[in-house]
Amino acid sequence: MSRLHIHSVHPPAPGQDTAAMPLLSSEDGAVIAAELAARGLRFERWPARGELAEGADQEAILSAYAGEIARIQSQGRYPTVDAIRLGPDHPERQALRLKFLAEHTHAEDEVRFFVEGQGLFCLHIGEEVLQVLCTRGDLIGVPAGTRHWFDMGAAPRFTALRFFDNPEGWVAQFTGDDIASRYPLLDPLPEAATA
């Protein structure tokens, strides 16, 4: 189920953990959409089609979701689309997780439609950190320049359509800020990754 937590970026009072005390927490799709819209973000819940075959490749995924792709591309802003599918046996899962966990921005919007599984988008906007757990059927749109990071968990299992206005696809500019280390993840990082 989709979930939103909104945290303050201000340091906690002595003995308090800011990340453990969200200012707002909701699993209501309408509340999530309204809170994100108030901050210039897009969130929608769409019906997800039937299960994808275990070995579905990018072409099969894009074909299965041709209607949703046409719906987004009809808005004229995102001519390039691909599909990312990561499972718990992906050989680069740990390296990819650490890369996505570093706060970064993009010169273009980041638009994702989750067709399987889940992922945690964390958005650093002004004096807030918004954590959006996206699950199957969630569409999220993050405007260009928004500071954010993404956690897919230690044993990822998700498939998402990614829309771009840049034919090069995913290009990040890392901020160097360690803010992501101060907020909850889908699950803890292994000790070797944090040392």
Side-chain angles (χ1 to χ4, degrees):
M1 173 170 283
S2 312
R3 182 181 66 236
L4 170 66
H5 289 299
I6 300 178
H7 303 275
S8 170
V9 298
H10 294 296
Q16 288 186 326
D17 179 4
T18 299
M21 300 174 50
L23 303 172
L24 180 138
S25 183
S26 181
E27 294 180 347
D28 182 318
V31 170
I32 295 169
E35 290 292 333
L36 295 184
R39 293 159 177 87
L41 303 151
R42 178 179 181 180
F43 181 85
E44 298 173 17
R45 296 276 305 145
W46 292 5
R49 304 202 182 276
E51 300 297 318
L52 294 167
E54 186 63 33
D57 61 8
Q58 179 162 253
E59 185 177 323
I61 297 165
L62 296 178
S63 176
Y65 285 90
E68 290 79 4
I69 292 167
R71 180 175 170 182
I72 293 286
Q73 290 185 326
S74 71
Q75 298 165 9
R77 295 184 57 198
Y78 309 108
T80 303
V81 62
D82 72 9
I84 182 168
R85 189 176 211 192
L86 286 172
D89 58 346
H90 192 285
E92 296 177 39
R93 68 188 175 281
Q94 181 142 341
L96 287 170
R97 184 183 190 201
L98 291 175
K99 177 179 175 181
F100 296 151
L101 276 174
E103 186 186 66
H104 59 277
T105 64
H106 301 286
E108 63 176 335
D109 297 349
E110 184 161 356
V111 179
R112 304 291 181 262
F113 177 54
F114 283 78
V115 300
E116 290 180 319
Q118 66 179 9
L120 182 67
F121 269 93
C122 302
L123 310 150
H124 179 185
I125 301 173
E127 298 299 311
E128 297 177 323
V129 169
L130 291 79
Q131 293 192 297
V132 186
L133 180 65
C134 293
T135 60
R136 185 175 186 217
D138 288 347
L139 174 81
I140 188 166
V142 179
T146 303
R147 295 169 73 125
H148 66 283
W149 61 94
F150 176 76
D151 187 18
M152 60 188 189
R157 183 172 294 281
F158 75 92
T159 304
L161 303 179
R162 308 186 305 175
F163 296 87
F164 304 100
D165 60 16
N166 174 357
E168 293 179 41
W170 195 87
V171 178
Q173 294 83 43
F174 293 94
T175 67
D177 192 328
D178 72 347
I179 188 170
S181 67
R182 300 192 300 266
Y183 291 87
L185 302 173
L186 280 175
D187 46 56
L189 287 170
E191 288 300 316
T194 59

mmCIF file with all atom_site columns, all heavy atoms in Angstrom, residues 6-10 23 35 39 123-130 179 183:
data_model
loop_
_atom_site.group_PDB
_atom_site.id
_atom_site.type_symbol
_atom_site.label_atom_id
_atom_site.label_alt_id
_atom_site.label_comp_id
_atom_site.label_asym_id
_atom_site.label_entity_id
_atom_site.label_seq_id
_atom_site.pdbx_PDB_ins_code
_atom_site.Cartn_x
_atom_site.Cartn_y
_atom_site.Cartn_z
_atom_site.occupancy
_atom_site.B_iso_or_equiv
_atom_site.pdbx_formal_charge
_atom_site.auth_seq_id
_atom_site.auth_comp_id
_atom_site.auth_asym_id
_atom_site.auth_atom_id
_atom_site.pdbx_PDB_model_num
ATOM 1   N N   . ILE A 1 6   ? 6.014  12.740 6.019  1.00 0.00 ? 6   ILE A N   1
ATOM 2   C CA  . ILE A 1 6   ? 6.659  14.037 5.856  1.00 0.00 ? 6   ILE A CA  1
ATOM 3   C C   . ILE A 1 6   ? 7.431  14.334 7.136  1.00 0.00 ? 6   ILE A C   1
ATOM 4   O O   . ILE A 1 6   ? 6.875  14.282 8.236  1.00 0.00 ? 6   ILE A O   1
ATOM 5   C CB  . ILE A 1 6   ? 5.648  15.164 5.569  1.00 0.00 ? 6   ILE A CB  1
ATOM 6   C CG1 . ILE A 1 6   ? 4.871  14.864 4.281  1.00 0.00 ? 6   ILE A CG1 1
ATOM 7   C CG2 . ILE A 1 6   ? 6.367  16.510 5.474  1.00 0.00 ? 6   ILE A CG2 1
ATOM 8   C CD1 . ILE A 1 6   ? 3.812  15.886 3.935  1.00 0.00 ? 6   ILE A CD1 1
ATOM 9   N N   . HIS A 1 7   ? 8.730  14.600 6.971  1.00 0.00 ? 7   HIS A N   1
ATOM 10  C CA  . HIS A 1 7   ? 9.625  14.875 8.098  1.00 0.00 ? 7   HIS A CA  1
ATOM 11  C C   . HIS A 1 7   ? 10.187 16.290 7.971  1.00 0.00 ? 7   HIS A C   1
ATOM 12  O O   . HIS A 1 7   ? 10.293 16.831 6.874  1.00 0.00 ? 7   HIS A O   1
ATOM 13  C CB  . HIS A 1 7   ? 10.826 13.918 8.086  1.00 0.00 ? 7   HIS A CB  1
ATOM 14  C CG  . HIS A 1 7   ? 10.471 12.483 8.108  1.00 0.00 ? 7   HIS A CG  1
ATOM 15  N ND1 . HIS A 1 7   ? 10.219 11.796 9.260  1.00 0.00 ? 7   HIS A ND1 1
ATOM 16  C CD2 . HIS A 1 7   ? 10.337 11.576 7.099  1.00 0.00 ? 7   HIS A CD2 1
ATOM 17  C CE1 . HIS A 1 7   ? 9.949  10.530 8.973  1.00 0.00 ? 7   HIS A CE1 1
ATOM 18  N NE2 . HIS A 1 7   ? 10.006 10.379 7.675  1.00 0.00 ? 7   HIS A NE2 1
ATOM 19  N N   . SER A 1 8   ? 10.618 16.840 9.089  1.00 0.00 ? 8   SER A N   1
ATOM 20  C CA  . SER A 1 8   ? 11.366 18.094 9.103  1.00 0.00 ? 8   SER A CA  1
ATOM 21  C C   . SER A 1 8   ? 12.841 17.774 8.895  1.00 0.00 ? 8   SER A C   1
ATOM 22  O O   . SER A 1 8   ? 13.320 16.738 9.358  1.00 0.00 ? 8   SER A O   1
ATOM 23  C CB  . SER A 1 8   ? 11.177 18.800 10.440 1.00 0.00 ? 8   SER A CB  1
ATOM 24  O OG  . SER A 1 8   ? 12.070 19.895 10.546 1.00 0.00 ? 8   SER A OG  1
ATOM 25  N N   . VAL A 1 9   ? 13.558 18.660 8.214  1.00 0.00 ? 9   VAL A N   1
ATOM 26  C CA  . VAL A 1 9   ? 15.005 18.453 8.085  1.00 0.00 ? 9   VAL A CA  1
ATOM 27  C C   . VAL A 1 9   ? 15.762 19.070 9.249  1.00 0.00 ? 9   VAL A C   1
ATOM 28  O O   . VAL A 1 9   ? 16.970 18.910 9.351  1.00 0.00 ? 9   VAL A O   1
ATOM 29  C CB  . VAL A 1 9   ? 15.578 19.024 6.756  1.00 0.00 ? 9   VAL A CB  1
ATOM 30  C CG1 . VAL A 1 9   ? 14.970 18.323 5.570  1.00 0.00 ? 9   VAL A CG1 1
ATOM 31  C CG2 . VAL A 1 9   ? 15.386 20.515 6.665  1.00 0.00 ? 9   VAL A CG2 1
ATOM 32  N N   . HIS A 1 10  ? 15.066 19.771 10.150 1.00 0.00 ? 10  HIS A N   1
ATOM 33  C CA  . HIS A 1 10  ? 15.743 20.379 11.295 1.00 0.00 ? 10  HIS A CA  1
ATOM 34  C C   . HIS A 1 10  ? 16.273 19.316 12.235 1.00 0.00 ? 10  HIS A C   1
ATOM 35  O O   . HIS A 1 10  ? 15.643 18.275 12.421 1.00 0.00 ? 10  HIS A O   1
ATOM 36  C CB  . HIS A 1 10  ? 14.787 21.314 12.045 1.00 0.00 ? 10  HIS A CB  1
ATOM 37  C CG  . HIS A 1 10  ? 14.382 22.497 11.234 1.00 0.00 ? 10  HIS A CG  1
ATOM 38  N ND1 . HIS A 1 10  ? 15.282 23.448 10.825 1.00 0.00 ? 10  HIS A ND1 1
ATOM 39  C CD2 . HIS A 1 10  ? 13.189 22.870 10.737 1.00 0.00 ? 10  HIS A CD2 1
ATOM 40  C CE1 . HIS A 1 10  ? 14.645 24.366 10.118 1.00 0.00 ? 10  HIS A CE1 1
ATOM 41  N NE2 . HIS A 1 10  ? 13.373 24.036 10.046 1.00 0.00 ? 10  HIS A NE2 1
ATOM 42  N N   . LEU A 1 23  ? 5.957  14.508 10.625 1.00 0.00 ? 23  LEU A N   1
ATOM 43  C CA  . LEU A 1 23  ? 4.976  15.572 10.845 1.00 0.00 ? 23  LEU A CA  1
ATOM 44  C C   . LEU A 1 23  ? 3.603  15.142 10.333 1.00 0.00 ? 23  LEU A C   1
ATOM 45  O O   . LEU A 1 23  ? 2.584  15.582 10.836 1.00 0.00 ? 23  LEU A O   1
ATOM 46  C CB  . LEU A 1 23  ? 5.412  16.841 10.107 1.00 0.00 ? 23  LEU A CB  1
ATOM 47  C CG  . LEU A 1 23  ? 6.790  17.390 10.464 1.00 0.00 ? 23  LEU A CG  1
ATOM 48  C CD1 . LEU A 1 23  ? 7.177  18.524 9.520  1.00 0.00 ? 23  LEU A CD1 1
ATOM 49  C CD2 . LEU A 1 23  ? 6.819  17.849 11.907 1.00 0.00 ? 23  LEU A CD2 1
ATOM 50  N N   . GLU A 1 35  ? -0.963 16.383 -0.888 1.00 0.00 ? 35  GLU A N   1
ATOM 51  C CA  . GLU A 1 35  ? 0.257  16.876 -0.230 1.00 0.00 ? 35  GLU A CA  1
ATOM 52  C C   . GLU A 1 35  ? 1.391  17.037 -1.248 1.00 0.00 ? 35  GLU A C   1
ATOM 53  O O   . GLU A 1 35  ? 2.131  18.021 -1.210 1.00 0.00 ? 35  GLU A O   1
ATOM 54  C CB  . GLU A 1 35  ? 0.680  15.938 0.900  1.00 0.00 ? 35  GLU A CB  1
ATOM 55  C CG  . GLU A 1 35  ? -0.244 15.952 2.102  1.00 0.00 ? 35  GLU A CG  1
ATOM 56  C CD  . GLU A 1 35  ? -0.225 17.258 2.876  1.00 0.00 ? 35  GLU A CD  1
ATOM 57  O OE1 . GLU A 1 35  ? 0.796  17.975 2.843  1.00 0.00 ? 35  GLU A OE1 1
ATOM 58  O OE2 . GLU A 1 35  ? -1.235 17.565 3.541  1.00 0.00 ? 35  GLU A OE2 1
ATOM 59  N N   . ARG A 1 39  ? 3.288  20.692 -3.259 1.00 0.00 ? 39  ARG A N   1
ATOM 60  C CA  . ARG A 1 39  ? 4.736  20.917 -3.344 1.00 0.00 ? 39  ARG A CA  1
ATOM 61  C C   . ARG A 1 39  ? 5.251  20.781 -4.773 1.00 0.00 ? 39  ARG A C   1
ATOM 62  O O   . ARG A 1 39  ? 6.444  20.647 -4.998 1.00 0.00 ? 39  ARG A O   1
ATOM 63  C CB  . ARG A 1 39  ? 5.447  19.952 -2.400 1.00 0.00 ? 39  ARG A CB  1
ATOM 64  C CG  . ARG A 1 39  ? 5.145  20.261 -0.929 1.00 0.00 ? 39  ARG A CG  1
ATOM 65  C CD  . ARG A 1 39  ? 5.394  19.049 -0.045 1.00 0.00 ? 39  ARG A CD  1
ATOM 66  N NE  . ARG A 1 39  ? 5.169  19.358 1.360  1.00 0.00 ? 39  ARG A NE  1
ATOM 67  C CZ  . ARG A 1 39  ? 3.980  19.283 1.958  1.00 0.00 ? 39  ARG A CZ  1
ATOM 68  N NH1 . ARG A 1 39  ? 2.899  18.924 1.282  1.00 0.00 ? 39  ARG A NH1 1
ATOM 69  N NH2 . ARG A 1 39  ? 3.863  19.582 3.233  1.00 0.00 ? 39  ARG A NH2 1
ATOM 70  N N   . LEU A 1 123 ? 12.204 12.766 -1.025 1.00 0.00 ? 123 LEU A N   1
ATOM 71  C CA  . LEU A 1 123 ? 12.303 14.069 -1.681 1.00 0.00 ? 123 LEU A CA  1
ATOM 72  C C   . LEU A 1 123 ? 12.671 15.133 -0.660 1.00 0.00 ? 123 LEU A C   1
ATOM 73  O O   . LEU A 1 123 ? 11.980 15.301 0.342  1.00 0.00 ? 123 LEU A O   1
ATOM 74  C CB  . LEU A 1 123 ? 10.966 14.400 -2.346 1.00 0.00 ? 123 LEU A CB  1
ATOM 75  C CG  . LEU A 1 123 ? 10.419 13.260 -3.216 1.00 0.00 ? 123 LEU A CG  1
ATOM 76  C CD1 . LEU A 1 123 ? 8.914  13.259 -3.248 1.00 0.00 ? 123 LEU A CD1 1
ATOM 77  C CD2 . LEU A 1 123 ? 11.009 13.339 -4.594 1.00 0.00 ? 123 LEU A CD2 1
ATOM 78  N N   . HIS A 1 124 ? 13.758 15.836 -0.914 1.00 0.00 ? 124 HIS A N   1
ATOM 79  C CA  . HIS A 1 124 ? 14.257 16.881 -0.021 1.00 0.00 ? 124 HIS A CA  1
ATOM 80  C C   . HIS A 1 124 ? 13.807 18.215 -0.616 1.00 0.00 ? 124 HIS A C   1
ATOM 81  O O   . HIS A 1 124 ? 14.409 18.715 -1.559 1.00 0.00 ? 124 HIS A O   1
ATOM 82  C CB  . HIS A 1 124 ? 15.775 16.775 0.058  1.00 0.00 ? 124 HIS A CB  1
ATOM 83  C CG  . HIS A 1 124 ? 16.419 17.796 0.929  1.00 0.00 ? 124 HIS A CG  1
ATOM 84  N ND1 . HIS A 1 124 ? 17.782 17.902 1.015  1.00 0.00 ? 124 HIS A ND1 1
ATOM 85  C CD2 . HIS A 1 124 ? 15.926 18.759 1.740  1.00 0.00 ? 124 HIS A CD2 1
ATOM 86  C CE1 . HIS A 1 124 ? 18.087 18.887 1.843  1.00 0.00 ? 124 HIS A CE1 1
ATOM 87  N NE2 . HIS A 1 124 ? 16.976 19.419 2.290  1.00 0.00 ? 124 HIS A NE2 1
ATOM 88  N N   . ILE A 1 125 ? 12.731 18.762 -0.037 1.00 0.00 ? 125 ILE A N   1
ATOM 89  C CA  . ILE A 1 125 ? 12.135 19.990 -0.567 1.00 0.00 ? 125 ILE A CA  1
ATOM 90  C C   . ILE A 1 125 ? 12.130 21.032 0.544  1.00 0.00 ? 125 ILE A C   1
ATOM 91  O O   . ILE A 1 125 ? 11.398 20.888 1.534  1.00 0.00 ? 125 ILE A O   1
ATOM 92  C CB  . ILE A 1 125 ? 10.705 19.732 -1.092 1.00 0.00 ? 125 ILE A CB  1
ATOM 93  C CG1 . ILE A 1 125 ? 10.739 18.672 -2.201 1.00 0.00 ? 125 ILE A CG1 1
ATOM 94  C CG2 . ILE A 1 125 ? 10.075 21.024 -1.587 1.00 0.00 ? 125 ILE A CG2 1
ATOM 95  C CD1 . ILE A 1 125 ? 9.373  18.229 -2.674 1.00 0.00 ? 125 ILE A CD1 1
ATOM 96  N N   . GLY A 1 126 ? 12.948 22.047 0.375  1.00 0.00 ? 126 GLY A N   1
ATOM 97  C CA  . GLY A 1 126 ? 13.019 23.096 1.390  1.00 0.00 ? 126 GLY A CA  1
ATOM 98  C C   . GLY A 1 126 ? 13.423 22.522 2.729  1.00 0.00 ? 126 GLY A C   1
ATOM 99  O O   . GLY A 1 126 ? 14.461 21.869 2.855  1.00 0.00 ? 126 GLY A O   1
ATOM 100 N N   . GLU A 1 127 ? 12.583 22.713 3.735  1.00 0.00 ? 127 GLU A N   1
ATOM 101 C CA  . GLU A 1 127 ? 12.861 22.256 5.093  1.00 0.00 ? 127 GLU A CA  1
ATOM 102 C C   . GLU A 1 127 ? 12.173 20.938 5.412  1.00 0.00 ? 127 GLU A C   1
ATOM 103 O O   . GLU A 1 127 ? 11.986 20.594 6.579  1.00 0.00 ? 127 GLU A O   1
ATOM 104 C CB  . GLU A 1 127 ? 12.427 23.334 6.098  1.00 0.00 ? 127 GLU A CB  1
ATOM 105 C CG  . GLU A 1 127 ? 13.183 24.639 5.944  1.00 0.00 ? 127 GLU A CG  1
ATOM 106 C CD  . GLU A 1 127 ? 14.682 24.469 6.170  1.00 0.00 ? 127 GLU A CD  1
ATOM 107 O OE1 . GLU A 1 127 ? 15.071 23.849 7.182  1.00 0.00 ? 127 GLU A OE1 1
ATOM 108 O OE2 . GLU A 1 127 ? 15.474 24.939 5.325  1.00 0.00 ? 127 GLU A OE2 1
ATOM 109 N N   . GLU A 1 128 ? 11.772 20.196 4.368  1.00 0.00 ? 128 GLU A N   1
ATOM 110 C CA  . GLU A 1 128 ? 11.073 18.929 4.566  1.00 0.00 ? 128 GLU A CA  1
ATOM 111 C C   . GLU A 1 128 ? 11.736 17.800 3.784  1.00 0.00 ? 128 GLU A C   1
ATOM 112 O O   . GLU A 1 128 ? 12.376 18.033 2.755  1.00 0.00 ? 128 GLU A O   1
ATOM 113 C CB  . GLU A 1 128 ? 9.619  19.022 4.081  1.00 0.00 ? 128 GLU A CB  1
ATOM 114 C CG  . GLU A 1 128 ? 8.765  20.010 4.823  1.00 0.00 ? 128 GLU A CG  1
ATOM 115 C CD  . GLU A 1 128 ? 7.371  20.105 4.247  1.00 0.00 ? 128 GLU A CD  1
ATOM 116 O OE1 . GLU A 1 128 ? 7.205  20.030 3.003  1.00 0.00 ? 128 GLU A OE1 1
ATOM 117 O OE2 . GLU A 1 128 ? 6.422  20.260 5.041  1.00 0.00 ? 128 GLU A OE2 1
ATOM 118 N N   . VAL A 1 129 ? 11.536 16.582 4.287  1.00 0.00 ? 129 VAL A N   1
ATOM 119 C CA  . VAL A 1 129 ? 11.830 15.369 3.541  1.00 0.00 ? 129 VAL A CA  1
ATOM 120 C C   . VAL A 1 129 ? 10.524 14.596 3.456  1.00 0.00 ? 129 VAL A C   1
ATOM 121 O O   . VAL A 1 129 ? 9.904  14.287 4.471  1.00 0.00 ? 129 VAL A O   1
ATOM 122 C CB  . VAL A 1 129 ? 12.923 14.517 4.218  1.00 0.00 ? 129 VAL A CB  1
ATOM 123 C CG1 . VAL A 1 129 ? 13.011 13.136 3.572  1.00 0.00 ? 129 VAL A CG1 1
ATOM 124 C CG2 . VAL A 1 129 ? 14.269 15.225 4.124  1.00 0.00 ? 129 VAL A CG2 1
ATOM 125 N N   . LEU A 1 130 ? 10.103 14.330 2.225  1.00 0.00 ? 130 LEU A N   1
ATOM 126 C CA  . LEU A 1 130 ? 8.895  13.551 1.984  1.00 0.00 ? 130 LEU A CA  1
ATOM 127 C C   . LEU A 1 130 ? 9.323  12.162 1.553  1.00 0.00 ? 130 LEU A C   1
ATOM 128 O O   . LEU A 1 130 ? 10.115 12.022 0.616  1.00 0.00 ? 130 LEU A O   1
ATOM 129 C CB  . LEU A 1 130 ? 8.042  14.186 0.881  1.00 0.00 ? 130 LEU A CB  1
ATOM 130 C CG  . LEU A 1 130 ? 7.368  15.509 1.219  1.00 0.00 ? 130 LEU A CG  1
ATOM 131 C CD1 . LEU A 1 130 ? 8.343  16.661 1.122  1.00 0.00 ? 130 LEU A CD1 1
ATOM 132 C CD2 . LEU A 1 130 ? 6.195  15.750 0.298  1.00 0.00 ? 130 LEU A CD2 1
ATOM 133 N N   . ILE A 1 179 ? 22.317 13.554 3.691  1.00 0.00 ? 179 ILE A N   1
ATOM 134 C CA  . ILE A 1 179 ? 20.996 13.611 4.324  1.00 0.00 ? 179 ILE A CA  1
ATOM 135 C C   . ILE A 1 179 ? 20.270 12.273 4.285  1.00 0.00 ? 179 ILE A C   1
ATOM 136 O O   . ILE A 1 179 ? 19.558 11.917 5.223  1.00 0.00 ? 179 ILE A O   1
ATOM 137 C CB  . ILE A 1 179 ? 20.128 14.731 3.707  1.00 0.00 ? 179 ILE A CB  1
ATOM 138 C CG1 . ILE A 1 179 ? 18.834 14.910 4.511  1.00 0.00 ? 179 ILE A CG1 1
ATOM 139 C CG2 . ILE A 1 179 ? 19.848 14.446 2.224  1.00 0.00 ? 179 ILE A CG2 1
ATOM 140 C CD1 . ILE A 1 179 ? 18.043 16.135 4.138  1.00 0.00 ? 179 ILE A CD1 1
ATOM 141 N N   . TYR A 1 183 ? 17.489 9.208  7.475  1.00 0.00 ? 183 TYR A N   1
ATOM 142 C CA  . TYR A 1 183 ? 16.070 8.891  7.356  1.00 0.00 ? 183 TYR A CA  1
ATOM 143 C C   . TYR A 1 183 ? 15.867 7.393  7.142  1.00 0.00 ? 183 TYR A C   1
ATOM 144 O O   . TYR A 1 183 ? 16.757 6.699  6.633  1.00 0.00 ? 183 TYR A O   1
ATOM 145 C CB  . TYR A 1 183 ? 15.442 9.713  6.226  1.00 0.00 ? 183 TYR A CB  1
ATOM 146 C CG  . TYR A 1 183 ? 15.392 11.171 6.605  1.00 0.00 ? 183 TYR A CG  1
ATOM 147 C CD1 . TYR A 1 183 ? 16.478 11.999 6.350  1.00 0.00 ? 183 TYR A CD1 1
ATOM 148 C CD2 . TYR A 1 183 ? 14.316 11.687 7.297  1.00 0.00 ? 183 TYR A CD2 1
ATOM 149 C CE1 . TYR A 1 183 ? 16.478 13.327 6.758  1.00 0.00 ? 183 TYR A CE1 1
ATOM 150 C CE2 . TYR A 1 183 ? 14.303 13.005 7.705  1.00 0.00 ? 183 TYR A CE2 1
ATOM 151 C CZ  . TYR A 1 183 ? 15.378 13.824 7.440  1.00 0.00 ? 183 TYR A CZ  1
ATOM 152 O OH  . TYR A 1 183 ? 15.373 15.121 7.863  1.00 0.00 ? 183 TYR A OH  1
#
